[in-house]
Amino acid sequence: MNLHSSEELFAAACQVLPGGVNSPVRAYRSVGLTPRFIQRAEGSYIYDVEGRRYIDYVCSWGPMILGHNHPVIREAVEKAVVDGLSFGAPTPREVEIAQLMVEMVPGLEMVRMVNSGTEAVMSALRLARGATGRDKLIKFEGCYHGHSDCMLVNAGSSALAGGHPSSSGVPVGAAKDTLTAQFNDLSSVQALLEANRGEVAAVIVEPVAANMGVVGPAPGFLQGLRELCDQHGALLIFDEVITGFRLAPGGAQEYFGVKADLVTYGKIIGGGMPVGAYGGSRALMEHVAPCGPVYQAGTLSGNPVAMAAGLAQLRYLHDHPQVYTHINHMGASLAQDMGKLCETSPVPVAINQVGSLLSPFFTPTEVSTFVDAKGSDVGMYARYFGEMLQRGIYLAPAQFEAMFLSDAHSAEDLTATLEAFQQTLEALSH
Ligand code: HOZ
């Protein structure tokens, strides 16, 4: 293909891919620009096809916690490829990665590997329904759990940015048992549980909402969910596709000290390859086929190359716990320094941060609920995005996404980012 610029590639892509992309947010529609086509990435940097270098805060939407093209992961993949790409049969590495996950996450006893976060959530929900014999589910408005039918109701992420939080094509029947509560509002959950007594199989939550921008749980919110679920015999599912192995080795369960019944994973556990997983206690997981009647299967589940990448990344995290100190510290200091710059700017910005996840909201109020997040000026975000991109900073091209830090980000990267942020604030104030 003799196309050189992002513009040329995007024009060609639009002829053969809906919106020119394979996942909507990548089309840059909410920021009104042409997406950068990427050639390669290394450490904290990503390079477009025209050779421009950016400091990357997308990090493939979370998987690249060690930075891009980490030698340990690359070597593990290279080694695995030599033995073959897929067998559709058990392999030693899938046992090793499961053992490691069980070791790193308190309370996790068994896992099932799948191919994406969407698949992990879909399967965990089926398991919750199968194990409880109940059909209803409670999710939170603005939380995103992948694109399975019953979760595309009041969803966040690009569903929200595209103005379709509830997708067309979802049969009424598939969504009728999905009830929606408000993130950080326990009374909304309590009301739904009481109105549907004995019928709710599970409450599913992103423990840190990271698909409405980043909104952390209010003190007591996750603990309160735990208690409400126990009172009503519903299972608590933490969707840790983003937070798993990111906030701490044991993810949000460890970080916030709250135990879920089922947990879903993706992103980091694949080291950059397409992997998801769901897990929980042995008693619950043994409902899954072939042990029990909850059916779920997959030709590429536990794919040997993907397992090699995920295992190498998890082993590295297990053996280098200082990664967490580093990325969480960078998150806090970047948020603090951005916040300081905002204090003297006429542009109202609220910076939210939990661990290595951040997001700026263009609003004068604090953002602790989905309503607050929706109050953010998305037009201003679009301008901010363009200004930062021009200054070599690669951010999520939509307000309702997160900024991700990796172990490869350096103090120099943060300084350069803050300089760009300061100049951007100045540009936005005119
Ligand atoms: N749902 C992802 C963002 N929250 C989109 C990922 C992608 O486009 O790669």
Side-chain angles (χ1 to χ4, degrees), residues 25-286:
V25 71
R26 302 179 194 177
Y28 278 30
R29 289 209 176 175
S30 40
V31 292
L33 296 171
T34 300
R36 296 292 184 266
F37 276 64
I38 302 304
Q39 188 66 43
R40 67 187 184 89
E42 189 79 37
S44 57
Y45 303 117
I46 194 161
Y47 298 82
D48 70 15
V49 286
E50 286 150 83
R52 287 189 213 99
R53 188 186 87 166
Y54 306 88
I55 302 173
D56 179 19
Y57 291 101
V58 177
C59 292
S60 188
W61 305 92
M64 313 319 293
I65 190 169
L66 301 180
H68 291 283
N69 207 0
H70 193 283
V72 165
I73 299 171
R74 192 178 58 236
E75 280 157 27
V77 169
E78 282 167 356
K79 232 167 128 193
V81 162
V82 174
D83 288 334
L85 298 186
S86 179
F87 315 123
T91 64
R93 279 186 217 107
E94 65 189 2
V95 185
E96 282 180 76
I97 194 170
Q99 286 172 337
L100 192 53
M101 289 172 73
V102 163
E103 185 188 330
M104 289 172 81
V105 180
L108 190 68
E109 292 179 337
M110 288 187 128
V111 294
R112 167 61 63 86
M113 307 305 299
V114 292
N115 298 292
S116 69
T118 291
E119 209 185 314
V121 167
M122 204 173 82
S123 312
L125 294 173
R126 181 176 304 148
L127 168 55
R129 286 167 153 167
T132 59
R134 301 171 175 188
D135 286 345
K136 293 189 179 171
L137 304 166
I138 296 179
K139 77 175 284 289
F140 293 89
E141 197 177 358
C143 279
Y144 180 74
H145 304 286
H147 62 270
S148 65
D149 279 353
C150 69
M151 287 292 102
L152 274 185
V153 179
N154 297 316
S157 184
S158 34
L160 180 61
H164 306 289
S166 302
S167 174
S168 100
V170 173
V172 175
K176 80 172 181 3
D177 288 325
T178 307
L179 313 171
T180 312
Q182 295 304 314
F183 190 76
N184 276 339
D185 177 0
L186 284 174
S187 65
S188 69
V189 184
Q190 185 169 9
L192 287 175
L193 285 167
E194 278 167 9
N196 297 275
R197 209 166 263 283
E199 294 182 88
V200 175
V203 174
I204 182 164
V205 67
E206 292 181 84
V208 174
N211 286 286
M212 51 170 98
V214 173
V215 179
F221 176 64
L222 297 175
Q223 187 58 44
L225 289 183
R226 177 68 279 169
E227 285 158 18
L228 283 171
C229 284
D230 289 344
Q231 280 162 26
H232 288 266
L235 299 178
L236 178 60
I237 305 179
F238 275 6
D239 180 342
E240 294 226 45
V241 168
I242 287 179
T243 51
F245 301 95
R246 171 166 288 279
L247 293 183
Q253 293 192 94
E254 179 183 333
Y255 193 83
F256 295 110
V258 177
K259 198 184 157 322
D261 298 297
L262 288 172
V263 188
T264 59
Y265 296 102
K267 301 194 190 270
I268 287 176
I269 62 163
M273 301 289 285
V275 181
Y278 61 105
S281 67
R282 179 176 311 280
L284 268 177
M285 291 304 288
E286 284 190 341

